[in-house]
Every structure is written in C-alpha cells, then in structure tokens.
Amino acid sequence: MNSTLEELCILAQRELGTEALNGKVETPFVELGLDSLGLVDFMFTVEDHFHISIEHDRALQQPTLAGLAALVDELIAAKAQPLAAAA
C-alpha cells in the first residue's frame, strides 16, 4: 500500500469513527458509510491535508479509497511538474 492510500485510510477512519480500513480500500464510499454530504466533507479534509483541489466529479469516477489515492497522486504529480520544469 502506498503512503497516499495509507494516509487516506487514516483520514477516513477519523472521519467515519471506524477501525482500520486497510482491507476495504476497494469498497465504495457509500458502503463505508459516507453519504453525499459526508463525502463532500471528507473531500475537503483530503484537499486540506494534501494541499490540492479535487473536482468532485473526478473523485466519483472511482469512488473508493484506492481510486481516490490514485487521483490524489495524479494531482500532486501535476502540481509538482511546473516546479520541476522551472528548476
């Protein structure tokens, strides 16, 4: 499990007040107990934690912790590219 996914599991555990989610990274958010409002709150938490901006529609294309981790990694990499090009 990559570090982004591990961090998302920890954030989700706090948000949901549940135990370890490591074995549920492919479980849809709704089945984890996140309704639409909870998911929006969780996305804000993720954005603040990783200092990124997530389009809600893109996050819902793969509505799992694993899918969100892939999106977060993609957004972080895209954010770093202009910095790498300038160096």
Side-chain angles (χ1 to χ4, degrees), residues 18-60:
T18 63
E19 294 183 22
L21 294 172
N22 295 344
K24 298 180 179 182
V25 296
E26 294 292 342
T27 303
F29 291 128
V30 230
E31 291 179 29
L32 293 177
L34 280 172
D35 59 11
S36 57
L37 183 57
L39 184 57
V40 169
D41 286 342
F42 181 60
M43 289 300 151
F44 286 137
T45 300
V46 172
E47 287 177 330
D48 289 345
H49 181 80
F50 290 101
H51 307 287
I52 56 172
S53 180
I54 300 172
E55 293 177 32
H56 190 73
D57 291 341
R58 284 193 68 197
L60 292 179

